[in-house]
Amino acid sequence: MSVLLSACDVFKDEESKMTGAKPTPMDFLPALSGDYFRFDSEQVGRPFHIYIRLPEDYADSSQKQYPIIYLLDGDSLFPILAANHMFLHYDDDIPEAIVVGIAYGGFDPETNWRDFDFSTYAADWKRSGGAEAFHNFLEHELLPVVENRYRADSERRVLFGQSRGGFMALYSAFNHPDLFWARIASNPSFLPDGEQFFEEPKLGKRGDLMVIVASSSEDRYTDNRTRSFEWQSHWSTRDDAPWTTHLVNIEGGTHAANSTDSYRAALRLLFKAEIDGAKEVPGNLTAAH
């Protein structure tokens, strides 16, 4: 192992001398080409690691703006979903987007506070109640920095969360409806206090907001699926919600392994008009397949 590390160090040192910049592992993953920075949040009092995947044509224009998708649990979901977005653009005509991974930097509970950040208070939980502070971090700290650095279309801002991250996406929709154009909750947890998502949400000003819940048929947490269907049934009959709702069934999907299917199905709904428009363009190669 020491020999291998030494060889790698020599390679990096030599490349640094030639280019004047020390390479990072992301430099050799073009599907994830973009940026990275550490963000020390005053709102939550902890650091986050922010990964940015930029569209392939980002450098071709200094004016074009892109939809921007924020991924919770970026430690695991950013390398999966950000890279997959490239193929969704190729095969499904889903627009290119700036994809942002919000990562903790590890899975150890001392580092990763997702149970606290993605929950409202629960007396019987060891850590809970950080949802509002985390949302303040998003709204007042992270989003302004990211969208000042990159050419994001803030009118098409999307939040994606899986499991407890799905809880956070629903919390955002109910308490701060206008901050994101759309939320995608993939196999969302309804703990703690899922009843809050059946109560009155805050009023929104926009008329185009959406909440998409994706539910896998083989989710090992069966209550997630039951509550997701109950939630959709409840809100589909209401005309006073600040957003329209959709429920996507991922047949054969499991709790965590099918996040790409949730992501794809949700983006096909969100960008349906643009996808349909691309298919109608004469000579469009993707549409011809």
Side-chain angles (χ1 to χ4, degrees), residues 8-105:
C8 289
D9 289 340
V10 169
F11 173 80
K12 289 181 180 180
D13 288 342
E14 291 301 315
E15 185 162 356
S16 297
K17 293 176 184 177
M18 292 186 289
T19 65
K22 190 172 183 178
T24 62
M26 300 292 281
D27 293 338
F28 305 103
L29 292 172
L32 294 173
S33 178
D35 202 359
Y36 158 83
F37 59 92
R38 172 178 164 140
F39 194 104
D40 292 289
S41 171
E42 294 182 1
Q43 292 288 335
V44 302
R46 286 178 273 108
F48 293 90
H49 299 273
I50 310 302
Y51 292 89
I52 313 290
R53 187 255 173 187
L54 295 174
E56 284 190 293
D57 63 350
Y58 188 83
D60 295 342
S61 169
S62 62
Q63 303 298 322
K64 184 177 179 179
Q65 291 185 313
Y66 298 85
I68 184 162
I69 302 170
Y70 291 87
L71 306 176
L72 303 178
D73 288 316
D75 304 84
S76 53
L77 290 180
F78 178 78
I80 298 170
L81 299 183
N84 193 53
H85 196 102
M86 178 178 67
F87 295 111
L88 298 181
H89 177 61
Y90 291 168
D91 288 352
D92 287 353
D93 290 312
I94 287 171
E96 266 286 29
I98 299 169
V99 183
V100 181
I102 306 169
Y104 290 93

Side-chain angles (χ1 to χ4, degrees), residues 239-251:
D239 58 7
D240 59 343
W243 13 253
T244 58
T245 66
H246 303 268
L247 188 139
V248 176
N249 180 50
I250 308 299
E251 188 61 40

Side-chain angles (χ1 to χ4, degrees), residues 29 47 56 82 94 114 119 148 180 196 203 219 226 263 265 283:
L29 292 172
E56 284 190 293
I94 287 171
R114 68 190 297 271
S119 65
N148 185 56
F180 293 92
Q196 65 186 292
L203 296 177
D219 189 345
T226 299
Y263 187 82

Side-chain angles (χ1 to χ4, degrees), residues 47-211:
F48 293 90
H49 299 273
I50 310 302
Y51 292 89
I52 313 290
R53 187 255 173 187
L54 295 174
E56 284 190 293
D57 63 350
Y58 188 83
D60 295 342
S61 169
S62 62
Q63 303 298 322
K64 184 177 179 179
Q65 291 185 313
Y66 298 85
I68 184 162
I69 302 170
Y70 291 87
L71 306 176
L72 303 178
D73 288 316
D75 304 84
S76 53
L77 290 180
F78 178 78
I80 298 170
L81 299 183
N84 193 53
H85 196 102
M86 178 178 67
F87 295 111
L88 298 181
H89 177 61
Y90 291 168
D91 288 352
D92 287 353
D93 290 312
I94 287 171
E96 266 286 29
I98 299 169
V99 183
V100 181
I102 306 169
Y104 290 93
F107 297 128
D108 189 296
E110 292 301 310
T111 299
N112 193 310
W113 282 67
R114 68 190 297 271
D115 53 340
F116 181 78
D117 290 340
F118 305 159
S119 65
T120 49
Y121 177 72
D124 57 343
W125 282 31
K126 183 178 179 180
R127 300 193 305 195
S128 67
E132 187 61 18
F134 183 85
H135 205 279
N136 286 336
F137 151 67
L138 292 178
E139 182 172 3
H140 301 297
E141 295 183 325
L142 182 64
L143 270 60
V145 168
V146 169
E147 294 174 22
N148 185 56
R149 291 189 184 189
Y150 311 102
R151 297 195 307 275
D153 179 359
S154 61
E155 293 297 303
R156 295 194 293 172
R157 181 190 292 146
V158 179
L159 180 66
F160 181 98
Q162 160 73 25
S163 190
R164 286 183 177 174
F167 179 101
M168 187 65 211
L170 294 177
Y171 177 88
S172 173
F174 271 75
N175 293 281
H176 305 272
D178 287 317
L179 187 60
F180 293 92
W181 168 48
R183 279 88 169 175
I184 304 168
S186 176
N187 294 319
S189 170
F190 282 80
L191 297 174
D193 186 23
E195 291 304 315
Q196 65 186 292
F197 301 136
F198 292 82
E199 298 172 357
E200 296 298 321
K202 298 284 180 65
L203 296 177
K205 297 178 181 178
R206 294 179 57 168
D208 62 343
L209 303 176
M210 285 179 275
V211 178

